[in-house]
Every structure is written in C-alpha cells, then in structure tokens.
Amino acid sequence: MGEANPGGAVDHATERDIRPAPVKLEVNGTSHTFAVEPRTTLLEALREGLGLTGTKKGCDRGECGACTVHVDGRRVLSCMTLAAMQEGKQITTIEGLEQDGELHPVQEAFIEHDGFQCGFCTSGQVMSGVAVIDEAKAGWPSAATADVRKPFTVAGLSNTEIRERMSGNLCRCACYPNIVAAVAEAAEKG
C-alpha cells in the first residue's frame, strides 16, 4: 500500500515504484531502444538518452518553443511530451533535417538571412519554420488567415501569417524580422 501524505491522501506512486521501461523510438530515421522512466519527456530522452543536443531545453514548460521537434510530421514541444508515448512514431530533430550533406532549405535561408544571433532558439525556430511551410502546403489556416472558408496555399504566407504561425517560438535576441524573412524565402523556393 502507499504512504500517507500530510493532506491525508494516499500516495500510491512513490519514487521506488517508478521503474525504467524499454521504449523504442524512431529518431531521424534510426531505431533506438533504451529504458526510460514513465515520466521522462521526449526532450530528456533525446538530449540525455540519445545525445541529440540540438533540441534545446529553454523554459521546460511549453512556452518558448526551443524544444520543437516533429513527430509524425507535426511539430510538438518535446518538453511537454512523454517519451514513452512516442513509440512507433517518426521523430525528426534538427539533426535529421539535412539529407546527404545538404541543408534543408529553411536551414539555408536562416544562414542567408542571419536568422539567429546567440543561436539558442535557432533549432526550434527552424523546426517550426519547416512545419509552417508544411502546414501551409496542407492548406491549414491560422488565426491570421483572412478568410478560412477559402483554401489556404503557400502563396498566402504573408509576413503576418508567418509571424502568427511562428508565435510559439521566442527569440531572446529579437531576430524576428530575419526569422520571418528566412521562412518566407524558404516557402517561396519550396
């Protein structure tokens, strides 16, 4: 049985009861199996379990976007996602964007437009930028879309649209104009 806590409720899950369990993650096209505690976040599994440190730990509560990765092609905040729940899903981190030595067009545009200063938020910004373009290609409107009854296209990615869609990613250095320009250029090219 569990232990009583000061409020009188019974605590059924104590530290000694939480045991690591194996989880198989498909990350950047490679399968990895390792043990994680049930409460381990995807961010912790990527950084500490797999050594993929491109995904950053910023606020650790889903507010800054530095930990953005893609799960099955959709952007998620890895600090708010449990690793054990990602078994069987395709996870892409910043390390997985380049293919055969070629940078992703969004990565190239960030370099071209100097979309970073300190660089801490850059991986999350790039991952969100890729997702913004994919979401626009899929026809998803945003809160800034003027008429959600009409199909949305990449051509509709104005600066206002990009700012709205990237609003979950914060930059302490305030490189927002350069980030918007980078996403806009990558969208035009691709």
Side-chain angles (χ1 to χ4, degrees), residues 22-27 30-33 42 70-73 82-91:
V23 65
K24 182 178 179 182
L25 299 178
E26 299 290 328
V27 182
T30 304
S31 181
H32 303 273
T33 302
L42 180 57
H70 297 173
V71 176
D72 286 344
L82 294 176
M85 295 177 70
Q86 306 315 307
E87 192 154 11
K89 298 178 182 175
Q90 299 296 318
I91 300 163

Side-chain angles (χ1 to χ4, degrees), residues 31-179:
S31 181
H32 303 273
T33 302
F34 55 102
V36 298
E37 288 186 354
R39 60 189 175 186
T40 301
T41 65
L42 180 57
L43 173 63
E44 293 165 335
L46 293 170
R47 290 184 58 82
E48 297 164 23
L50 299 179
L52 296 173
T53 57
T55 304
K56 303 300 183 204
K57 184 176 186 174
C59 67
D60 205 25
R61 52 185 191 201
E63 295 177 359
C64 73
C67 68
T68 303
V69 298
H70 297 173
V71 176
D72 286 344
R74 295 187 70 177
R75 58 179 153 169
V76 301
L77 300 171
S78 61
C79 75
M80 301 299 292
T81 306
L82 294 176
M85 295 177 70
Q86 306 315 307
E87 192 154 11
K89 298 178 182 175
Q90 299 296 318
I91 300 163
T92 306
T93 68
I94 190 73
E95 292 92 346
L97 281 186
E98 70 86 20
Q99 296 294 312
D100 300 321
E102 296 291 321
L103 292 177
H104 188 280
V106 174
Q107 290 173 307
E108 289 178 346
F110 264 70
I111 293 168
E112 179 69 28
H113 289 276
D114 198 21
F116 50 88
Q117 282 183 19
C118 79
F120 189 82
C121 72
T122 304
S123 60
Q125 297 278 2
V126 168
M127 296 303 288
S128 280
V130 170
V132 162
I133 295 167
D134 290 344
E135 292 161 8
K137 286 179 181 177
W140 296 2
S142 78
T145 303
D147 187 352
V148 296
R149 296 171 296 181
K150 295 179 182 176
F152 193 84
T153 65
V154 175
L157 276 179
S158 64
N159 287 351
T160 302
E161 277 282 345
I162 294 169
R163 280 187 171 85
E164 170 62 28
R165 292 168 185 260
M166 295 289 293
S167 65
N169 290 79
L170 303 179
C171 175
R172 296 176 193 167
C173 302
C175 282
Y176 297 115
N178 301 20
I179 291 167

